[in-house]
């Protein structure tokens, strides 16, 4: 517990700094756009309706989805600019987060601004015209100053929303206070989750109070309040913008959003530092985003699994033997993306169907074939990906599986669901430490319907011939047997005496790389 | 000499409703003209077309021989004083800021504006210390004095007034009307005032124009119009101040008031 808090404090300057910069940039950009749209909407009823509708529609998109949608959009845009002008840009991290949050910030500002201006006393507007103001003078000298308190109230709302939603930028590869929450959720470190929530809430509260000070200064025409609030905000942003030690990181290691990935990315980062390089980790990436990030050279290396690439990226539906899978994949990755498949780590993290031992014994189920006979009375639990992956129809058709009900869970909760008997069968990962701790049995796959999922180290095209990276990562190839990985995962996932991914990575390194 | 304001065959509609129909009016410099008539007769529309707060659908308006559309509307408005019932003081500007707004738009030097504000406060009988107050701190009468001072700030020769004293209590209304009439004389202004109060028109104006359904139905000095008129409405309207005056005179003499 104390260790968790200490570790969380240590990460705070980095996470908070990134969070502040992202939120401030989104608010700044959002404010400029909102003001322009507000002015247009105030002047023309024809513009007003679509602008307000657009802002409202953006608000109805779940913020996580909005963030995720910008990634493919930017990838496409980047490849277009690359083709046209030879300039590409990173579609991961800051940019998609900035754009999504900018859109997210706009509704309250526009709505309050438009309402504020349109509800001004018509006599004042008539007087403004009568004394000989141009349209622009009327706007800047009368309408905006008088609507400013209302506008500022909108800015406050927007700022709180943006600071809250910025925690969701972690899965698209932008460091934020959300890193506490997402990694904490994965490894069941509730202290970390709580720390992230409290930090984001505190930040939102402080910013809201400072904006409130500016708002009251605007409303009561007290410039001192405006100045104090503005200076405090500017000081906060400046402090966040100060260069930090890891700003010049050389290598970027990616990780998807589960414990094993956190451990392996920590392990790779440690290896790089041992070889004299520096590394940052982009953790909590979505499964597809991780590969696309590598293909776009946004990250330099990460660990994926052969079956994932085979089915999801290469879109293959056949299931050849594992060596053939690796060989064909190595060639395909190099040819299509210039990506280097450095090698397999030595363990498999395959999808497997698992049941509680007592239940399996009771029903005499040993293999998926046995399971099929009972499936109609059983509930199946899976992670969010499984039913959408090609493995599911392959498995279903090979054994004629037909469950009474199917439910989807975040993986932590999936294990809780099987432990409590809420579901009867789950999709487990063969290297998961929780198989042993929950006393689950992995069902045999006599038809060979499930793809092999060997852990493989992938290196981005731009780093394929990087000697330091090779020196650092090559020793990992073939060095991690499944028992070691399972134990390392267990050290992070267990309920008591949990270790951080870094501690588990060091434990793993001691045993795997003597 | 050519009249200062010339309105030639001006029309203006709002959708199907014709507010002003083919109206002509010439106002020589220095005259105080009151436009009276029932609500919706087109008097305010006529006034607003002069400083182009509204644009006519047809016809032309000349000021000092120049068509009003020969320069941008905002430049035209800076040369014409405009006072209306709503006053429309800028709530975020001080009294001085409100009065000095048109000179500021015209780019006058700061000291010149300050001197002009002081001069105008005195002219509209407001204490100098009011200059730094916000409009919210003023009484209704004080606000309209500021409104008049604001309209006069850039030394216009024409004043357009739309029910300027309509929202004020009777005493303030009378005082302000009389004081404004004196300003009109002293500064050689040409004033067009819209009012629905015939007595006010009779007491302040040199000339009364009566409108009905977008056209002028009577045009003459208060004296002429009170002598009787061929139009029944006009006669009834102009008879009222006379009857009221006679009743008041009777009451002052201690006789029973005439019905």
């Amino acid at each position: 517990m104390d260790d968790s808090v200490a570790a969380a404090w240590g990460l705070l300057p980095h996470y908070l700094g990134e969070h502040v910069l992202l939120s401030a940039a989104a608010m700044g950009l959002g404010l400029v756009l909102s003001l322009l749209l507000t002015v247009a909407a105030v002047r023309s009823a024809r513009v007003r309706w679509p602008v307000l509708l657009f802002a409202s529609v953006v608000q109805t998109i779940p913020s996580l989805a909005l963030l995720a949608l910008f990634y493919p959009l930017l990838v496409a845009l980047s490849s277009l600019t690359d083709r046209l002008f030879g300039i590409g840009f990173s579609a991961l991290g800051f940019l998609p987060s900035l754009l999504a949050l900018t859109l997210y910030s706009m509704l309250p500002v526009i709505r309050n601004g438009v309402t504020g201006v349109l509800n001004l006393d018509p006599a004042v507007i008539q007087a403004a015209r009568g004394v000989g103001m141009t349209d622009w003078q009327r706007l800047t000298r009368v309408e905006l100053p008088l609507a400013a308190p209302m506008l500022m109230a909108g800015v406050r709302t927007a700022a709180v929303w943006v600071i809250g939603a910025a925690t969701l930028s972690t899965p698209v590869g932008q460091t934020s206070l959300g890193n506490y929450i997402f990694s904490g959720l994965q490894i069941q470190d509730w202290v970390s989750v709580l720390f992230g929530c409290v930090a984001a809430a505190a930040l939102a509260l402080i910013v809201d109070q400072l904006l409130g000070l500016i708002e009251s200064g605007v409303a009561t025409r007290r410039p001192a309040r405006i100045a104090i609030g503005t200076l405090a905000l500017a000081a906060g942003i400046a402090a966040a913008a100060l260069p930090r030690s890891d700003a010049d990181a050389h290598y970027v290691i990616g990780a998807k959003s589960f414990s094993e990935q956190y451990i392996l990315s920590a392990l790779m980062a440690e290896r790089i530092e041992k070889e004299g390089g520096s590394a940052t980790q982009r953790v909590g990436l979505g499964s597809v985003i991780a590969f696309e990030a590598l293909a776009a050279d946004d990250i330099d290396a990460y660990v994926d699994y052969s079956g994932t690439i085979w089915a999801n990226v290469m879109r293959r539906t056949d299931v050849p033997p594992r060596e053939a899978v690796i060989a064909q994949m190595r060639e395909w990755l190099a040819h299509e993306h210039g990506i280097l498949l450095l090698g397999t780590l030595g363990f498999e993290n395959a999808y497997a169907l698992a049941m509680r031992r007592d239940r399996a014994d009771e029903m005499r189920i040993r293999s998926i074939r046995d399971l099929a006979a009972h499936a109609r009375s059983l509930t199946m639990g899976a992670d969010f990906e499984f039913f959408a992956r090609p493995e599911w129809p392959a498995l279903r058709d090979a054994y004629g599986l037909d469950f009474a009900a199917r439910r989807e869970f975040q993986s932590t909760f999936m294990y809780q669901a099987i432990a409590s008997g809420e579901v009867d069968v789950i999709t487990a990962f063969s290297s998961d430490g929780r198989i042993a701790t929950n006393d689950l049995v992995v069902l045999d796959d006599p038809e060979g319907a499930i793809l092999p999922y060997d852990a493989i180290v992938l290196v981005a095209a731009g780093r394929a011939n990087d000697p330091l990276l090779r020196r650092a990562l090559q020793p990992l190839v073939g060095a991690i047997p499944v028992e070691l990985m399972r134990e390392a995962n267990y050290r992070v996932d267990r309920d008591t005496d949990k270790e951080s991914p870094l501690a588990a990575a060091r434990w793993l390194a001691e045993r795997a790389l003597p | 000499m050519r009249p200062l304001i010339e309105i030639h065959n001006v029309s203006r509609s709002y959708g199907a409703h014709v507010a002003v129909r083919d109206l002509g009016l010439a106002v020589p410099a220095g005259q105080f003209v009151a436009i009276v008539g029932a609500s919706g007769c087109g008097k305010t529309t006529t006034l607003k077309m002069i400083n182009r707060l509204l644009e006519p659908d047809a016809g032309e308006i000349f000021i000092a021989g120049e068509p009003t559309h020969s320069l941008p509307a905002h430049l035209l408005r800076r040369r014409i004083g405009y006072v209306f019932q709503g006053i429309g003081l800028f709530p975020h500007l001080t009294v001085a800021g409100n009065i000095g707004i048109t000179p500021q738009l015209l780019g006058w030097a700061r000291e010149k504006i300050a001197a002009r504000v002081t001069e105008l406060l005195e002219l509209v009988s407001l204490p100098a210390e009011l200059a730094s107050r916000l409009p919210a701190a003023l009484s209704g009468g004080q606000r309209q004095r500021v409104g008049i001072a604001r309209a006069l700030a850039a030394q216009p020769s024409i004043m357009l007034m739309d029910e300027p004293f309509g929202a004020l209590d009777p005493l303030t209304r009378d005082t302000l009307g009389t004081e404004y009439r004196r300003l009109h004389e002293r500064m050689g202004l040409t004033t067009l005032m819209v009012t629905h109060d015939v007595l006010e028109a009779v007491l302040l104006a040199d000339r009364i124009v009566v409108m009905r359904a977008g056209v002028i139905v009577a045009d003459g000095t208060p004296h002429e119009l009170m002598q009787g008129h061929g139009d029944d409405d006009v006669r009834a309207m102009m008879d009222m101040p006379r009857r009221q005056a006679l009743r008041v005179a009777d009451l002052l003499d201690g006789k029973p008031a005439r019905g």
Side-chain angles (χ1 to χ4, degrees), chain B residues 34 36 202 207-210 217-229 234-235 237-239 242:
Chain B
V36 298
V202 166
R207 173 182 172 191
I208 296 177
V209 171
V210 185
V217 291
D219 181 353
T221 64
H223 180 74
E224 283 165 5
L225 293 187
M226 281 196 293
Q227 298 310 303
H229 195 269
V234 175
R235 204 167 49 243
M237 185 190 281
M238 296 309 301
D239 202 31
R242 209 165 62 104

mmCIF file of all heavy atoms in Angstrom, chain B residues 34 36 202 207-210 217-229 234-235 237-239 242:
data_model
loop_
_atom_site.group_PDB
_atom_site.id
_atom_site.type_symbol
_atom_site.label_atom_id
_atom_site.label_comp_id
_atom_site.label_asym_id
_atom_site.label_seq_id
_atom_site.Cartn_x
_atom_site.Cartn_y
_atom_site.Cartn_z
ATOM 1 N N ALA B 34 -42.353 67.320 -34.554
ATOM 2 C CA ALA B 34 -42.861 66.157 -33.832
ATOM 3 C C ALA B 34 -43.682 65.314 -34.797
ATOM 4 O O ALA B 34 -44.502 65.839 -35.537
ATOM 5 C CB ALA B 34 -43.716 66.590 -32.653
ATOM 6 N N VAL B 36 -46.436 62.508 -34.808
ATOM 7 C CA VAL B 36 -47.363 61.844 -33.894
ATOM 8 C C VAL B 36 -48.270 60.896 -34.666
ATOM 9 O O VAL B 36 -48.357 60.946 -35.899
ATOM 10 C CB VAL B 36 -48.229 62.872 -33.106
ATOM 11 C CG1 VAL B 36 -47.357 63.773 -32.251
ATOM 12 C CG2 VAL B 36 -49.068 63.708 -34.060
ATOM 13 N N VAL B 202 -47.318 69.378 -28.902
ATOM 14 C CA VAL B 202 -47.804 70.764 -28.988
ATOM 15 C C VAL B 202 -46.891 71.718 -28.227
ATOM 16 O O VAL B 202 -46.555 72.811 -28.692
ATOM 17 C CB VAL B 202 -49.256 70.833 -28.446
ATOM 18 C CG1 VAL B 202 -49.669 72.273 -28.189
ATOM 19 C CG2 VAL B 202 -50.206 70.145 -29.410
ATOM 20 N N ARG B 207 -43.520 72.203 -35.359
ATOM 21 C CA ARG B 207 -44.317 71.664 -36.451
ATOM 22 C C ARG B 207 -44.712 70.243 -36.069
ATOM 23 O O ARG B 207 -43.892 69.499 -35.502
ATOM 24 C CB ARG B 207 -43.449 71.656 -37.710
ATOM 25 C CG ARG B 207 -44.056 70.975 -38.907
ATOM 26 C CD ARG B 207 -43.030 71.032 -40.034
ATOM 27 N NE ARG B 207 -43.434 70.258 -41.179
ATOM 28 C CZ ARG B 207 -42.614 69.979 -42.200
ATOM 29 N NH1 ARG B 207 -41.351 70.403 -42.185
ATOM 30 N NH2 ARG B 207 -43.043 69.287 -43.215
ATOM 31 N N ILE B 208 -45.975 69.921 -36.363
ATOM 32 C CA ILE B 208 -46.453 68.585 -36.036
ATOM 33 C C ILE B 208 -46.860 67.867 -37.321
ATOM 34 O O ILE B 208 -47.579 68.415 -38.156
ATOM 35 C CB ILE B 208 -47.652 68.643 -35.067
ATOM 36 C CG1 ILE B 208 -47.211 69.259 -33.718
ATOM 37 C CG2 ILE B 208 -48.235 67.244 -34.837
ATOM 38 C CD1 ILE B 208 -48.322 69.421 -32.710
ATOM 39 N N VAL B 209 -46.331 66.621 -37.459
ATOM 40 C CA VAL B 209 -46.695 65.783 -38.599
ATOM 41 C C VAL B 209 -47.500 64.616 -38.047
ATOM 42 O O VAL B 209 -47.033 63.900 -37.166
ATOM 43 C CB VAL B 209 -45.418 65.280 -39.316
ATOM 44 C CG1 VAL B 209 -45.787 64.228 -40.359
ATOM 45 C CG2 VAL B 209 -44.677 66.442 -39.955
ATOM 46 N N VAL B 210 -48.741 64.474 -38.527
ATOM 47 C CA VAL B 210 -49.580 63.378 -38.041
ATOM 48 C C VAL B 210 -49.566 62.251 -39.077
ATOM 49 O O VAL B 210 -49.802 62.494 -40.260
ATOM 50 C CB VAL B 210 -51.036 63.851 -37.808
ATOM 51 C CG1 VAL B 210 -51.859 62.705 -37.187
ATOM 52 C CG2 VAL B 210 -51.066 65.078 -36.919
ATOM 53 N N VAL B 217 -51.116 62.417 -42.703
ATOM 54 C CA VAL B 217 -52.491 62.898 -42.897
ATOM 55 C C VAL B 217 -52.641 64.369 -42.511
ATOM 56 O O VAL B 217 -53.622 65.017 -42.860
ATOM 57 C CB VAL B 217 -53.526 62.044 -42.127
ATOM 58 C CG1 VAL B 217 -53.637 60.661 -42.757
ATOM 59 C CG2 VAL B 217 -53.168 61.940 -40.650
ATOM 60 N N ALA B 218 -51.675 64.899 -41.773
ATOM 61 C CA ALA B 218 -51.722 66.321 -41.436
ATOM 62 C C ALA B 218 -50.317 66.813 -41.177
ATOM 63 O O ALA B 218 -49.459 66.046 -40.748
ATOM 64 C CB ALA B 218 -52.588 66.549 -40.198
ATOM 65 N N ASP B 219 -50.055 68.074 -41.477
ATOM 66 C CA ASP B 219 -48.705 68.619 -41.324
ATOM 67 C C ASP B 219 -48.860 70.124 -41.131
ATOM 68 O O ASP B 219 -49.339 70.834 -42.022
ATOM 69 C CB ASP B 219 -47.908 68.304 -42.599
ATOM 70 C CG ASP B 219 -46.476 68.813 -42.528
ATOM 71 O OD1 ASP B 219 -46.133 69.524 -41.556
ATOM 72 O OD2 ASP B 219 -45.704 68.480 -43.457
ATOM 73 N N GLY B 220 -48.517 70.652 -39.955
ATOM 74 C CA GLY B 220 -48.647 72.089 -39.738
ATOM 75 C C GLY B 220 -48.105 72.486 -38.387
ATOM 76 O O GLY B 220 -47.630 71.633 -37.628
ATOM 77 N N THR B 221 -48.158 73.770 -38.072
ATOM 78 C CA THR B 221 -47.712 74.215 -36.749
ATOM 79 C C THR B 221 -48.780 73.785 -35.746
ATOM 80 O O THR B 221 -49.930 73.542 -36.114
ATOM 81 C CB THR B 221 -47.572 75.747 -36.691
ATOM 82 O OG1 THR B 221 -48.877 76.308 -36.882
ATOM 83 C CG2 THR B 221 -46.630 76.264 -37.760
ATOM 84 N N PRO B 222 -48.424 73.678 -34.460
ATOM 85 C CA PRO B 222 -49.420 73.306 -33.449
ATOM 86 C C PRO B 222 -50.629 74.230 -33.514
ATOM 87 O O PRO B 222 -51.774 73.783 -33.439
ATOM 88 C CB PRO B 222 -48.666 73.490 -32.135
ATOM 89 C CG PRO B 222 -47.236 73.305 -32.488
ATOM 90 C CD PRO B 222 -47.084 73.832 -33.888
ATOM 91 N N HIS B 223 -50.377 75.505 -33.706
ATOM 92 C CA HIS B 223 -51.451 76.472 -33.775
ATOM 93 C C HIS B 223 -52.413 76.151 -34.912
ATOM 94 O O HIS B 223 -53.615 76.079 -34.709
ATOM 95 C CB HIS B 223 -50.855 77.876 -33.939
ATOM 96 C CG HIS B 223 -51.923 78.936 -34.006
ATOM 97 N ND1 HIS B 223 -52.631 79.334 -32.895
ATOM 98 C CD2 HIS B 223 -52.419 79.634 -35.058
ATOM 99 C CE1 HIS B 223 -53.507 80.250 -33.256
ATOM 100 N NE2 HIS B 223 -53.390 80.453 -34.574
ATOM 101 N N GLU B 224 -51.862 75.930 -36.096
ATOM 102 C CA GLU B 224 -52.688 75.614 -37.267
ATOM 103 C C GLU B 224 -53.532 74.369 -37.041
ATOM 104 O O GLU B 224 -54.730 74.359 -37.289
ATOM 105 C CB GLU B 224 -51.800 75.364 -38.496
ATOM 106 C CG GLU B 224 -51.243 76.625 -39.129
ATOM 107 C CD GLU B 224 -50.094 76.328 -40.097
ATOM 108 O OE1 GLU B 224 -49.791 75.139 -40.339
ATOM 109 O OE2 GLU B 224 -49.501 77.296 -40.592
ATOM 110 N N LEU B 225 -52.887 73.321 -36.542
ATOM 111 C CA LEU B 225 -53.597 72.059 -36.404
ATOM 112 C C LEU B 225 -54.679 72.125 -35.337
ATOM 113 O O LEU B 225 -55.697 71.445 -35.436
ATOM 114 C CB LEU B 225 -52.628 70.915 -36.106
ATOM 115 C CG LEU B 225 -51.668 70.554 -37.238
ATOM 116 C CD1 LEU B 225 -50.878 69.307 -36.887
ATOM 117 C CD2 LEU B 225 -52.416 70.332 -38.555
ATOM 118 N N MET B 226 -54.475 72.983 -34.337
ATOM 119 C CA MET B 226 -55.479 73.070 -33.278
ATOM 120 C C MET B 226 -56.688 73.923 -33.698
ATOM 121 O O MET B 226 -57.693 73.949 -33.018
ATOM 122 C CB MET B 226 -54.856 73.583 -31.986
ATOM 123 C CG MET B 226 -54.110 72.462 -31.261
ATOM 124 S SD MET B 226 -53.728 72.827 -29.553
ATOM 125 C CE MET B 226 -52.552 74.129 -29.723
ATOM 126 N N GLN B 227 -56.560 74.620 -34.833
ATOM 127 C CA GLN B 227 -57.687 75.406 -35.328
ATOM 128 C C GLN B 227 -58.755 74.539 -35.993
ATOM 129 O O GLN B 227 -59.781 75.035 -36.427
ATOM 130 C CB GLN B 227 -57.194 76.449 -36.366
ATOM 131 C CG GLN B 227 -56.219 77.460 -35.808
ATOM 132 C CD GLN B 227 -56.721 78.094 -34.512
ATOM 133 O OE1 GLN B 227 -57.803 78.678 -34.476
ATOM 134 N NE2 GLN B 227 -55.933 77.980 -33.448
ATOM 135 N N GLY B 228 -58.475 73.272 -36.135
ATOM 136 C CA GLY B 228 -59.435 72.404 -36.819
ATOM 137 C C GLY B 228 -58.812 71.822 -38.062
ATOM 138 O O GLY B 228 -57.868 72.398 -38.623
ATOM 139 N N HIS B 229 -59.329 70.666 -38.468
ATOM 140 C CA HIS B 229 -58.732 69.972 -39.614
ATOM 141 C C HIS B 229 -59.797 69.139 -40.305
ATOM 142 O O HIS B 229 -60.744 68.676 -39.647
ATOM 143 C CB HIS B 229 -57.593 69.075 -39.139
ATOM 144 C CG HIS B 229 -56.717 68.612 -40.261
ATOM 145 N ND1 HIS B 229 -56.952 67.444 -40.946
ATOM 146 C CD2 HIS B 229 -55.613 69.172 -40.812
ATOM 147 C CE1 HIS B 229 -56.031 67.293 -41.871
ATOM 148 N NE2 HIS B 229 -55.193 68.334 -41.816
ATOM 149 N N VAL B 234 -57.645 63.532 -36.991
ATOM 150 C CA VAL B 234 -56.702 64.608 -36.662
ATOM 151 C C VAL B 234 -57.400 65.647 -35.791
ATOM 152 O O VAL B 234 -56.848 66.120 -34.794
ATOM 153 C CB VAL B 234 -56.158 65.264 -37.953
ATOM 154 C CG1 VAL B 234 -55.269 66.456 -37.607
ATOM 155 C CG2 VAL B 234 -55.403 64.246 -38.790
ATOM 156 N N ARG B 235 -58.633 65.957 -36.154
ATOM 157 C CA ARG B 235 -59.370 66.955 -35.371
ATOM 158 C C ARG B 235 -59.560 66.465 -33.922
ATOM 159 O O ARG B 235 -59.300 67.186 -32.970
ATOM 160 C CB ARG B 235 -60.735 67.217 -36.016
ATOM 161 C CG ARG B 235 -61.297 68.588 -35.649
ATOM 162 C CD ARG B 235 -62.475 69.004 -36.521
ATOM 163 N NE ARG B 235 -63.489 67.981 -36.649
ATOM 164 C CZ ARG B 235 -63.818 67.405 -37.818
ATOM 165 N NH1 ARG B 235 -63.220 67.776 -38.938
ATOM 166 N NH2 ARG B 235 -64.746 66.473 -37.852
ATOM 167 N N MET B 237 -57.778 64.269 -32.350
ATOM 168 C CA MET B 237 -56.484 64.198 -31.681
ATOM 169 C C MET B 237 -56.008 65.569 -31.214
ATOM 170 O O MET B 237 -55.568 65.739 -30.074
ATOM 171 C CB MET B 237 -55.466 63.582 -32.655
ATOM 172 C CG MET B 237 -54.099 63.339 -32.079
ATOM 173 S SD MET B 237 -52.931 62.905 -33.382
ATOM 174 C CE MET B 237 -53.327 61.201 -33.631
ATOM 175 N N MET B 238 -56.153 66.579 -32.098
ATOM 176 C CA MET B 238 -55.642 67.910 -31.782
ATOM 177 C C MET B 238 -56.573 68.664 -30.837
ATOM 178 O O MET B 238 -56.165 69.629 -30.192
ATOM 179 C CB MET B 238 -55.455 68.730 -33.069
ATOM 180 C CG MET B 238 -54.424 68.172 -34.009
ATOM 181 S SD MET B 238 -52.823 67.815 -33.245
ATOM 182 C CE MET B 238 -52.387 69.436 -32.631
ATOM 183 N N ASP B 239 -57.793 68.194 -30.729
ATOM 184 C CA ASP B 239 -58.751 68.842 -29.852
ATOM 185 C C ASP B 239 -58.443 68.539 -28.388
ATOM 186 O O ASP B 239 -58.721 69.337 -27.498
ATOM 187 C CB ASP B 239 -60.157 68.331 -30.203
ATOM 188 C CG ASP B 239 -61.221 69.309 -29.729
ATOM 189 O OD1 ASP B 239 -60.892 70.517 -29.709
ATOM 190 O OD2 ASP B 239 -62.324 68.861 -29.369
ATOM 191 N N ARG B 242 -56.303 70.936 -26.303
ATOM 192 C CA ARG B 242 -57.028 72.188 -26.126
ATOM 193 C C ARG B 242 -58.082 72.047 -25.017
ATOM 194 O O ARG B 242 -58.172 72.880 -24.117
ATOM 195 C CB ARG B 242 -57.709 72.568 -27.445
ATOM 196 C CG ARG B 242 -57.888 74.056 -27.653
ATOM 197 C CD ARG B 242 -58.228 74.314 -29.110
ATOM 198 N NE ARG B 242 -59.486 73.651 -29.428
ATOM 199 C CZ ARG B 242 -60.649 74.324 -29.548
ATOM 200 N NH1 ARG B 242 -60.682 75.621 -29.392
ATOM 201 N NH2 ARG B 242 -61.746 73.679 -29.834
#
